[in-house]
Amino acid sequence: MRSRTPDRLCAEAVEIARQAAVEAVGPDAVGAHLGVRADGERVVTHTFECLDAAYRGWHWAVTVARAPRAKNVTLDETVLLPGPDAVLAPQWVPWSERLRPGDMGPGDLLPTDADDLRLEPGWTGEDEPAPNSVAVLDDTEDLVVADVQPTPVRAQIGAIAEELGFGRPRVLSRLGLHLAADRWENAHGPHTPMAQAAPANCDSCGFLIPIGGSLGQAFGICGNEFSPADGQVVSFAYGCGGHSEAAVIPAPPAPSELILDELQLEPMQLHPDRTSGSVEPDAPAEELGHS
């Protein structure tokens, strides 16, 4: 039990405690005596002001003690402790909780736990022999095969699985798929301001690029360079003003082909008093343009 009343001899050992602090950090960093508290039976801690400009609000804590029935006070420890107004570093948070999308840079590695709930074991087929391999034929008691050649590598289950995309050790679990869908839905989903003001949804847009897998039933990739979501995974319910069918400009009408008829003549009606030429035969010289 901690004693409420400091031991008298330990409480009076202010100079002993100050000298210990001065020896530890120098006289320029130790200020006035701030107080004393009882830490236990014949164990007392003296506090001194810290004058170091880099540690404003901190104080030196010097703990002294004495043995039972002894009158000599001995030094226990000297430490620097923060006060209520001290500037402290933020509470430590594991890197997995501090990391945010976009924090990774070139050369950075992001490890995953072996029991990461976002992943589940994939199927590689490495532990299963091919149906026509030597291992299967040797296990068949009633089958006798002479001069069996080793199965080519291409015929092994692992090689076939790799070609089909089944060779990954781990794949997204149902939890990982749901987390990805939630992120994509929040970033480019129906509840965003852009989608609320869009004339139509992405599921009817010609710029939507389909993706495979189960998420391809609700998401695709935007391929419109003028869209704010270009190159991003978007929900079918998302939309923007760049929808392919929102404002289709009609094509200008093609001009009709020029028709030139060189096989027929079109008669022209002449003046009845004229027999030939373009002017009257008795017209004055001024009308003919002569001076």
Side-chain angles (χ1 to χ4, degrees):
M1 296 294 292
R2 177 177 295 182
S3 176
R4 295 183 178 181
T5 303
D7 180 75
R8 183 180 62 84
L9 294 179
C10 291
E12 293 176 351
V14 176
E15 292 303 321
I16 297 178
R18 177 185 294 277
Q19 185 62 29
V22 169
E23 292 179 358
V25 297
D28 296 336
V30 181
H33 183 257
L34 299 178
V36 60
R37 73 171 184 270
D39 292 335
E41 192 72 21
R42 294 179 297 278
V43 180
V44 171
T45 296
H46 294 270
T47 56
F48 299 90
E49 181 184 4
C50 178
L51 301 180
D52 194 330
Y55 291 91
R56 289 181 298 177
W58 294 62
H59 60 269
W60 299 106
V62 182
T63 303
V64 296
R66 69 180 183 91
R69 294 185 298 275
K71 295 183 179 181
N72 295 330
V73 177
T74 58
L75 176 66
D76 191 354
E77 64 177 354
T78 301
V79 295
L80 179 64
L81 298 178
D85 299 329
V87 179
L88 302 177
Q91 185 177 4
W92 183 83
V93 179
W95 68 266
S96 57
E97 300 178 15
R98 298 196 308 267
L99 194 64
R100 293 293 180 268
D103 288 348
M104 290 186 61
D108 295 339
L109 297 178
L110 180 60
T112 56
D113 296 332
D115 55 351
D116 195 323
L117 297 179
R118 299 170 301 172
L119 300 171
E120 62 184 11
W123 187 83
T124 61
E126 294 295 341
D127 54 345
E128 299 183 18
N132 60 341
S133 65
V134 178
V136 174
L137 296 177
D138 289 344
D139 293 339
T140 306
E141 297 180 357
D142 300 333
L143 182 61
V144 178
V145 180
D147 298 332
V148 177
Q149 299 296 326
T151 306
V153 176
R154 192 172 181 81
Q156 293 181 359
I157 291 292
I160 299 174
E162 185 175 356
E163 289 186 5
L164 298 177
F166 297 133
R168 295 177 292 169
R170 290 190 295 175
V171 296
L172 276 177
S173 63
R174 182 173 295 274
L175 173 62
L177 291 173
H178 281 241
L179 292 176
D182 290 342
R183 292 193 307 272
W184 300 345
E185 192 83 14
N186 293 332
H188 298 98
H191 302 296
T192 58
M194 181 65 69
Q196 294 291 330
N201 295 333
C202 292
D203 56 354
S204 59
C205 181
F207 293 110
L208 183 71
I209 302 174
I211 61 176
S214 59
L215 291 180
Q217 302 176 10
F219 297 93
I221 300 176
C222 178
N224 187 350
E225 61 177 322
F226 299 107
S227 170
D230 179 38
Q232 304 294 323
V233 178
V234 295
S235 168
F236 285 172
Y238 182 71
C240 69
H243 194 282
S244 62
E245 311 305 320
V248 180
I249 301 176
S256 59
E257 184 180 358
L258 179 62
I259 300 177
L260 181 60
D261 189 356
E262 299 178 349
L263 300 179
Q264 294 183 6
L265 298 177
E266 182 179 355
M268 301 295 294
Q269 183 68 31
L270 299 177
H271 194 278
D273 298 335
R274 298 175 181 174
T275 57
S276 65
S278 59
V279 296
E280 297 294 338
D282 54 351
E286 288 82 0
E287 295 184 8
L288 298 177
H290 299 289
S291 56

